[in-house]
């Protein structure tokens, strides 16, 4: 596994700061890996082009193939999701965690996890998350048609969260719509201490340092 690029180098008085998402997305892009395919998903039931659902049967047939996202799009979409979290009051502080329903599409799930880790939000992927008083972000599937991106002379970017909703402290939102909101800015990667609790699985709990291997294996296995 690649050594971490520390934001603050470890010293006698500090453990330093890092972020596993920086290693998987930001740094490789700087090194020329923006176009590498790092995330794939199943063949979509409703193929889309430039954010618009395809209706022509010939195009549907031609586009009925697995989704592929390059590293640049994964960074852009996960950072925008992190911006949505920030806009809804989530800071990634102690006592905050994200839960993702089983019916959320794989690509949306992966982007949610990467976006959460980007701001240091605890990710709970246990089959039976612990019931406690912590602030929870709940990502779940909803019945909603894709948001029409409108006619534009430039390429429209898919939200990658079509049919997915989010709930935080009683406030809900259609993520497809929220991801298209130009007022929501993508969020920069946040510096974390290596021992910050980050990902909770059925087998173990992982801190920021040890979560890199899990993210590489479980979320960006194509990278």
């Amino acid at each position: 596994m690649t050594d971490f690029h520390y934001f603050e180098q470890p010293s006698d008085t500090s453990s330093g700061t890092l972020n596993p998402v920086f290693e998987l997305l930001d740094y490789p892009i700087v090194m020329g890996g923006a176009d590498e395919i790092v995330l794939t998903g199943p063949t979509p039931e409703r193929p889309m082009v430039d954010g618009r659902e395809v209706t022509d049967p010939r195009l549907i047939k031609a586009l009925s193939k697995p989704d592929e996202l390059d590293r640049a799009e994964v960074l852009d979409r996960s950072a925008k999701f992190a911006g949505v979290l920030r806009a809804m009051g989530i800071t990634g502080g102690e006592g905050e965690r994200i839960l993702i329903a089983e019916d959320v599409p794989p690509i949306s799930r992966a982007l949610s996890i990467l976006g959460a880790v980007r701001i240091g939000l605890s990710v709970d992927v246990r089959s039976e998350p612990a019931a406690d008083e912590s602030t929870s972000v709940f990502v779940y599937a909803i019945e909603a048609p894709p948001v029409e991106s409108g006619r534009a002379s430039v390429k429209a970017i898919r939200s990658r969260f079509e049919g997915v909703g989010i709930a935080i402290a009683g406030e809900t939102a259609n993520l497809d719509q929220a991801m298209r909101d130009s007022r929501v800015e993508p969020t920069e990667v946040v510096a974390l201490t290596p021992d910050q609790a980050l990902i909770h699985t059925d087998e173990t709990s992982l801190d920021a340092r040890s979560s890199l291997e899990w993210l590489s294996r479980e979320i960006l296995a194509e990278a």
Side-chain angles (χ1 to χ4, degrees):
M1 184 59 63
T2 302
D3 292 335
F4 278 96
H5 298 90
Y6 284 84
F7 305 133
E8 177 189 337
Q9 289 295 324
S11 66
D12 293 339
T13 58
S14 171
S15 59
T17 57
L18 49 79
N19 191 303
V21 166
F22 178 83
E23 304 301 330
L24 293 169
L25 298 177
D26 301 67
Y27 183 76
I29 286 177
V30 172
M31 299 304 293
D35 296 330
E36 297 172 353
I37 300 299
V38 296
L39 182 61
T40 60
T43 302
E45 295 181 3
R46 297 177 296 184
M48 304 182 75
V49 173
D50 290 354
R52 302 181 182 91
E53 185 176 348
V54 173
T55 57
D56 188 315
R58 294 168 296 180
L59 279 177
I60 291 176
K61 183 178 180 179
L63 296 171
S64 292
K65 56 184 180 180
D67 269 334
E68 294 184 337
L69 280 69
D70 61 27
R71 186 176 271 111
E73 183 174 0
V74 173
L75 172 59
D76 180 82
R77 299 292 80 193
S78 59
K80 184 64 181 284
F81 175 77
V84 172
L85 293 177
R86 284 284 176 83
M88 296 183 74
I90 297 298
T91 63
E94 185 176 354
E96 295 179 337
R97 61 174 177 159
I98 186 170
L99 310 175
I100 304 170
E102 292 183 358
D103 57 358
V104 170
I107 285 180
S108 301
R109 176 181 184 273
L111 294 174
S112 298
I113 291 173
L114 292 168
V117 172
R118 190 170 189 81
I119 62 170
L121 176 62
S122 174
V123 178
D124 195 333
V125 294
R126 291 174 287 191
S127 53
E128 294 184 4
D132 55 34
E133 299 300 319
S134 64
T135 300
S136 294
V137 177
F138 184 49
V139 178
Y140 57 99
I142 59 175
E143 288 292 335
V147 174
E148 174 59 49
S149 58
R151 300 294 177 181
S153 59
V154 296
K155 181 177 180 179
I157 300 177
R158 285 185 57 183
S159 76
R160 297 293 180 178
F161 284 89
E162 294 86 3
V164 180
I166 187 171
I168 301 174
E171 182 180 358
T172 62
N174 180 335
L175 271 173
D176 186 22
Q177 186 173 28
M179 291 284 290
R180 295 178 183 280
D181 193 332
S182 61
R183 295 169 296 180
V184 177
E185 295 289 339
T187 298
E188 294 183 356
V189 68
V190 171
L192 310 174
T193 57
D195 60 353
Q196 178 173 329
L198 205 56
I199 298 173
H200 305 282
T201 73
D202 286 328
E203 293 76 27
T204 187
S205 291
L206 303 170
D207 58 25
R209 181 191 289 110
S210 59
S211 64
L212 176 58
E213 182 177 353
W214 185 89
L215 289 168
S216 300
R217 182 181 68 251
E218 301 293 333
I219 306 302
L220 292 183
E222 302 292 330

